[in-house]
Amino acid sequence: MTKKLEVNEQDELMAEKLKTKANELFKEGDYEAAVDYYTQAISYNPYVPQYFSNRSLANYKLELYGQAMQDATDSIALNPDFDKAYYRRATALVALGRLKEAIKDLTKVVQLSPNDRLVRQKLKDCQQEYKRIEFEKAIMVEDVKSVIDQLGDIDSIVVEDTYDGPHLTEVNVEFVLALLEYMKQQKKLHKKYLWKMLIKIKEYFESRSSIDDVYIPEGAKLTVCGDIHGQYYDLLNVFELNGLPSETNMYLWNGDFVDRGSFSVECAIALFAFKLLYPNSVYLSRGNHEANDMNKVYGFEGEVKHKYTDNTFKLFSEVFNAIPLGNLIMEKILVIHGGLFSKKGVTIDDLRKINRFQQPGQSGLMCELLWSDPQFLPGIGPSKRGVGVQFGPDITEEFTTTNNLKCIIRSHEVKHEGYEIAHNGKCITIFSAPNYCDSANNKGAYIHIDRNCELEYKQFTAVPHPPIGPMQYAGVYGKM
């Protein structure tokens, strides 16, 4: 926290003016600019707890949960009875799956504001979820069987006469195109066919390395896309603008297919269907949201259970555990969801050896690969998200030199223009969910890559979708 020895009246007036501007920017959805103005307000008057609390919320909106927690903590230090600051910190803790700590803060909020029924309910929800998780840990056995064993004889499942969607005999072009259109009409693929597809894609992913190799044949191009986050109609728009996947129109989707957007099931099914159709032309990388704790908070678990069943979600989870952690294009460009690592000397071979068939955890190579972000300063810094690290241009230079790479491509962060080129052109961020969460007003983008590993950037804007907003299936627990 930056402090001045003295704050005069002029400083106070300037701080209030900057705070007012920050509030306006926040309402407009420009959270990055809001953070900047709150920071300026704090520089003039670092003794107002509301400034830190407001910046905490703006950082939360930017998914910088670690920074949001720190701001809330600084606010509490200035006013130990500031209920809103405890609540802000609890929301960030919930986002990181740290329920035990969140319960402590929510309990404090209830003590300070005993008549707030909404907070009491959220405390109850967190307590119930924490008990459920602890119970599952207590009964967990080492040799956990696949949920597939609980599905029974899938072939014997009867498809009702009322079902008017595509029937799966094989994953061919006709089936996939019919499936895309059927889901566009907000209709559900029959669970029999979904289960068959998920089992088949799981088996395929299990046969691959943690870093898959991508080769671009003569006459083909590869399009790299970033986060789509359940925005199915924007995913369809990418195919409209850039062409459907084919043997010569290759795609690589770099994680975070699900969560936040309320058409995550459709996004995952569409991408898995194309992967099954064109296994050597469509590639997927796992993101930090292909994980159980994220799916609990940000809606995918609730969406799957609403549209299908609990066992269907468990099957999706097993598929997510099998998705490769990254893809190496022409041995020159590494595509991973988050970023680089807290230790030096990491090689592609080290990444290939990661046991990815599990949840990402809170530390280690797999966690950092999925969660880390670039920074302008050199070296390694603590993550503003509270998970992973931040890595500077020198870290990117060392990694690309060690592994003889042209650059890395990562996603994981909203960018106003849909992409960002950093670290002397060696660290590229691509984000493909335009107007993220119906509020960010950002463009989406994707990258064309040819056999010579030359990159061309394409931008696009959001398209309309049915009137179902983001986080529709997250429930009270996820809507803190």
Side-chain angles (χ1 to χ4, degrees), residues 369-382:
L369 181 152
L370 296 175
W371 277 94
S372 294
D373 296 297
Q375 64 180 15
F376 294 114
L377 295 174
I380 293 293

Side-chain angles (χ1 to χ4, degrees), residues 255-266:
D256 283 10
F257 324 124
V258 303
D259 278 341
R260 296 218 178 255
S262 295
F263 302 94
S264 293
V265 167
E266 290 78 7

Side-chain angles (χ1 to χ4, degrees), residues 66 179 205 239 241 250 270 272 282 305 349 352 364 382 398 433 460:
L179 175 59
F205 283 140
F239 293 150
L241 295 171
M250 303 169 67
F272 291 163
V282 174
K305 290 180 179 179
D349 283 342
R352 292 189 195 276
E398 184 270 337
F460 62 100

Side-chain angles (χ1 to χ4, degrees), residues 15-16 36 43 58 64 71 89-90 174 228 263 310 322 377-378 422 466:
E16 275 297 299
D36 182 56
S43 72
L64 302 178
D71 281 338
R89 191 165 67 182
E174 291 75 21
I228 193 65
F263 302 94
D310 179 57
L377 295 174

